[in-house]
Amino acid sequence: MVLVVIYHSGIGLPGGYIGVDVFFVISGYVITRMLTAELASSGKLDLKRFYLRRIRRLLPALGLMLSVVMVASVLLGSIGGQQVTARTGAAAALFNANTYLARFGQGGYFDVSADVNALLHTWSLAVEEQFYLVFPALVFAAWLVGRRMPRLGSARATTVTLAVITVSSFVLSWAFTNDYVSVFQVDAIDDLAKEIAFYSAPTRAWQFAVGGLLVFVAPRLVSLGTAVTTVLAAGGAGLVLFAAVAFDQQTPFPGTAALIPTVGTLLILAAGEGPGDNPLSRALAVRPAQYLGDLSYSWYLWHWPCIVFAAALWPTAGYSGSWAAVFSLLPAWLAYRLVESPVRFTPQPRAVRTLALAAVCITLPLVSAGVLEIGHRRIQQSGTIAAFNDSFPFHADVANGCDNPTPLGERDGFECTWAVDNPTGKAVLIGDSNAGHFTEAFTAAANQLGLTATVATKSACPFIDLAVVRNGEPDDVCRQFVAGSLQSLIDSQPNLVVIASANGYVESDAYVLESPNGDQRFEGADNKATTWELGLQRTITQLQSAEIDVVLVHTVPYFPEWDPRECAPARILLAPNSCGASRSLTEADTDRARVISAESAAAATTNIRTLDVADQLCPGGTCSTRLGDTWMYRDGGHISIDASIQLTPIFVELLRPES
């Protein structure tokens, strides 16, 4: 629990998320021990009693947290996170948050978009609840089979069952983590493989089962002495801490990496089973540690929503995640004292009342999810917040369907040409979304000069004679768009072609560049910049050979950490300017330096004109997402429509034929 909180706080332990794996193993161990103890003493299992106890233990605290967080998210949650929070909360109320997140949760657990989901953490509770629904019946069935087969025995039958679950689940986890799901003939979900591996109960079941297996080894541990248990405890703690420190978001997980914290937890539990005293067991037995353990479930429930709310309200505050995690102890303690403990320890509760309580704990969050969904829609349509949201629409290339993978020349049915009467020529804007955000300036300028304007963009696809490899996968669609569009331009011979692209293909490790025939790959920013220059030079030369003038617009200054959707409605209402961001042009130019240098070299070699709009976007050497009452950026990497319109005079000069 503490490992997860530290990880979520952002103050250290890049692999602290393995605290959930520790919890899964402990949960499997505790539940199996409880079930087998009842079976051994009475020869039967009261499943009704088990499930009623689980309801009282888990649902009241969970239902309270879900309801409060979703209602509070109307004002405290970020605009971009409200819908996914509402839908995750509804799924969590139905014990299915993990399945929802794996399939519809806007990316994986480690994606930036997940940081705005105030109920992201409920996935692990859903896995636990699904485990509780199935696991007791499996243990009971195995026990009964063993009892009817004296030569096998109940304990051995249960051990074999748990071993089969462990092995089969681990193989499934490994296959999905490493994207080998084609082995299982499920190619259709290859893209979801890693999310399924992380979130799903079948790929996590082995951790519960291996915890259960320890119960049957425990009788052999009673003869261990202090020296042995100390070594076991130290080794287990070392493995868990190693994973917490050495793992990070890039570690393929769970798969084989999850073995380290899992084995570490088993060693710690084994040390606790031995009669020998050891320092770790003594440390865990002190009163503060036990109290924190009692509070751990409630703290887990409340810590993440508090961290998400703090980030939405005070995004620039230092260590907001850490103090929010500490603050979350207050609602956790209140929930523990006022709801969790009173319900959990009610003497001899009636089944009817427990089931009625379960119905309330499920229904109330579902209603709260509806409140958040409706509130999200209403609040976006009202006053200041409506004006805020209206400041970030997509550009005309997206709105008109011009941003699509169909090559220029093969397109039909898209309103991507801005014609004028008696045109003097034709100009084309082509490239990725960083070309698209100049659509308003380009089309207005072209039309002012009597030119018919055409826009053809494909997001994440630079118009350059290179192949793009994204996250290890060649982008064949982009290659076809570039090749087809280039040939179409050569055939149609417009007067002018304007090319613009982002710089991420060079700067981001997610991209690798390939030579056009695919016989060579280029990695590393410097190598990619050199290749970028040569590829751009080839593209320009091919257009010039068809007597087409070419101009190049450099990438704009970026705000890589800024997303207006992460702003909370409370901030928008009270201080809308606080939802913006700023940085020096010098800092922004550092991010653009390689690409601008490469593009300038290609432009000099081919003798074409270039344009850098940084001075217009960053007056006085300071780049801001908002200037006065105007939002200059629609997100961290694209200017707004208003900013594009303001650039029209500059584009008029850019498109004007040279005398």
Side-chain angles (χ1 to χ4, degrees), residues 125-137:
L125 302 177
V127 172
E128 182 187 12
E129 289 159 345
Q130 291 162 13
F131 162 74
Y132 290 149
L133 287 173
V134 176
F135 191 73

Side-chain angles (χ1 to χ4, degrees), residues 182-354:
S182 58
V183 174
F184 300 95
Q185 302 302 311
V186 285
D187 293 331
I189 59 173
D190 278 0
D191 292 341
L192 300 173
K194 291 178 176 59
E195 283 79 9
I196 292 172
F198 191 91
Y199 286 122
S200 77
T203 57
R204 293 290 192 155
W206 68 276
Q207 294 178 300
F208 291 97
V210 79
L213 283 172
L214 182 62
V215 173
F216 297 95
V217 180
R220 302 182 182 182
L221 303 176
V222 296
S223 60
L224 299 179
T226 301
V228 176
T229 57
T230 299
V231 171
L232 290 176
L239 288 174
V240 171
L241 291 176
F242 170 80
V245 173
F247 290 1
D248 59 23
Q249 297 180 5
Q250 304 305 316
T251 303
F253 203 86
T256 54
L259 284 170
I260 295 177
T262 299
V263 172
T265 306
L266 288 173
L267 292 177
I268 294 171
L269 291 172
E273 284 289 346
D277 195 10
N278 68 81
L280 182 59
S281 295
R282 288 199 304 270
L284 294 175
V286 298
R287 187 172 182 82
Q290 290 184 333
Y291 183 76
L292 190 61
D294 292 338
L295 196 63
S296 62
Y297 175 56
S298 192
W299 195 20
Y300 183 82
L301 290 176
W302 289 95
H303 84 282
W304 179 245
C306 289
I307 290 172
V308 171
F309 290 163
L313 293 170
W314 300 284
T316 60
Y319 302 105
S320 63
S322 57
W323 61 254
V326 173
F327 170 80
S328 68
L329 284 167
L330 176 60
W333 177 77
L334 290 172
Y336 175 74
R337 290 292 302 271
L338 301 179
V339 176
E340 183 181 342
S341 291
V343 174
R344 179 183 177 188
F345 298 115
T346 300
Q348 299 180 338
R350 295 176 57 187
V352 173
R353 291 185 177 180
T354 300

